[in-house]
Amino acid sequence: MIHDRIAPMRVLALITIICSFGLLGSCQHSYAGNTAGYGRTPLTHGPTPMPVVQQSRYLAEANPLIPSRPLAIPSTPAPAPRYAKAVCVMDPRTGRVLYGYNENERRQVASTQKIMTALCVCDAGDMDHLITIKREDKLNVSPTRLNDIATGEQYTRRSMLQAMLTGSYNNVAYGLARDVAGSEKAFVARMNARARRMKMYNSHFANPHGLPGPQYSTARDMAIAACYAYVNPIIRPMIDAPHYDFVLASGRVRSMNNTNKLLTKPGLHWVNGMKTGYTNAAGHCLISSGSLNGRAVVVVVLGCTARQQIFTESEKYLRWAMGV
């Protein structure tokens, strides 16, 4: 009788153990899938989540920043990259990729991801809101810092955003993020949520400034972000400014030159943005844009080994796409 009762109990215990292992394996597989990151096989893109002109909030008649006509397909083949590790050339009106080279390869993208930071700051609105500088804003954001701002001083969200996009100051990016979301961690969550909404399938951000961290994006994903920045009425004039005079709390003016040297290069008056970036992990990077005769283009160049190379490569693709 005892043996009759023990046998079924042993069977039941064995089934429970087997199910437990199965459940654990399932959880581990799910966790691994959710943390697929830098260096792993990138996801394949479907159609780019444009054309922006088909989205109600980006209707061309309601937003004069949208190009009036799409880019023509260039009559000549795209030039091969000489220095870049990844390239994406995109039409900001239609979202069509005119040329891609390793465009879905996951990489660090350095300060070009400040474009994402700018989009999230604009989502918060109230550009006249005063940001109070805190001591933590100047910590752990070397080497590019705006050292002229001091703890306790106040600056508008608009002036801080312009300083970040013109001078690429990491402590300004951190201060914006902290003020907008309450903490860097909360702001990064907004960055990643916005990336998902924009169908940036191969991106994950860990900070608002682009210094090395457990994060990645791709040339194509950053081109998508750039297309949204291109039609943003707050960001668009900021990324086109070759120079900015930042008025400090003391009244002194801190002059800043844009790190994108294409904005002031003779013969490229039609170039109107966007953002440089550099770290040892990412190499030299540049998101650039241009507009001519009602058409526009966004060019993302990532992973050059020397600074001048990003300007050479970017100009080459800007001219090719625009037929200049």
Side-chain angles (χ1 to χ4, degrees), residues 8 12 17 47 53 60 94 105 114 172-173 181 183 185 192 208 217 227 229 235 237 246 251 301-302 306-307:
L12 180 60
I17 292 170
V53 291
T94 65
E105 180 182 82
K114 288 186 172 93
V172 174
S183 69
K185 182 178 180 180
N192 288 316
S217 188
C227 287
I235 297 173
F246 185 84
V301 169
L302 304 177
R307 188 167 186 261

Side-chain angles (χ1 to χ4, degrees), residues 97-312:
V97 175
L98 278 73
Y99 174 75
Y101 172 73
N102 293 335
E103 70 271 28
N104 288 324
E105 180 182 82
R106 292 176 175 176
R107 306 178 55 83
Q108 299 267 324
V109 297
S111 285
T112 63
Q113 74 187 50
K114 288 186 172 93
I115 291 293
M116 281 296 299
T117 300
L119 288 168
C120 292
V121 169
C122 289
D123 288 345
D126 191 5
M127 301 308 291
D128 295 322
H129 166 77
L130 288 175
I131 297 175
T132 301
I133 304 302
K134 294 188 176 182
R135 182 176 178 274
E136 65 183 277
D137 297 340
K138 301 184 74 171
L139 302 176
N140 303 318
V141 287
S142 296
T144 308
R145 294 187 296 187
L146 181 58
N147 291 317
D148 304 80
I149 57 177
T151 301
E153 293 179 344
Q154 291 187 318
Y155 299 96
T156 65
R157 188 172 283 167
R158 185 183 305 276
S159 65
M160 292 274 281
L161 183 61
Q162 180 73 74
M164 181 191 75
L165 291 172
T166 302
S168 198
Y169 300 109
N170 297 325
N171 60 325
V172 174
Y174 182 92
L176 281 163
R178 173 194 54 73
D179 181 77
V180 164
S183 69
E184 181 183 50
K185 182 178 180 180
F187 187 85
V188 166
R190 294 191 186 193
M191 292 175 70
N192 288 316
R194 199 182 212 284
R196 289 192 295 271
R197 292 198 302 273
M198 293 192 295
K199 305 297 190 295
M200 293 169 62
Y201 297 122
N202 291 309
S203 295
H204 176 77
F205 301 104
N207 61 53
H209 39 65
L211 290 175
Q215 58 189 358
Y216 55 86
S217 188
T218 67
R220 183 166 183 167
D221 276 11
M222 291 311 299
I224 292 172
C227 287
Y228 280 84
Y230 192 85
V231 297
N232 185 290
I234 296 172
I235 297 173
R236 176 74 171 275
M238 290 184 176
I239 57 178
D240 190 23
H243 178 85
Y244 179 54
D245 287 335
F246 185 84
V247 181
L248 296 165
S250 64
R252 184 169 63 89
V253 173
R254 173 66 157 81
S255 294
M256 305 172 181
N257 291 320
N258 199 305
T259 54
N260 180 8
K261 302 309 177 185
L262 293 184
L263 292 174
T264 54
K265 183 171 181 179
L268 293 179
H269 62 277
W270 47 275
V271 172
N272 55 16
M274 292 189 174
K275 187 73 196 72
T276 60
Y278 171 76
T279 63
N280 288 336
H284 291 273
C285 307
L286 174 63
I287 300 176
S288 56
S289 62
S291 178
L292 195 63
N293 299 324
R295 299 173 296 133
V297 66
V298 164
V299 173
V300 179
V301 169
L302 304 177
C304 292
T305 56
R307 188 167 186 261
Q308 183 54 42
Q309 294 171 358
I310 57 172
F311 302 124
T312 300

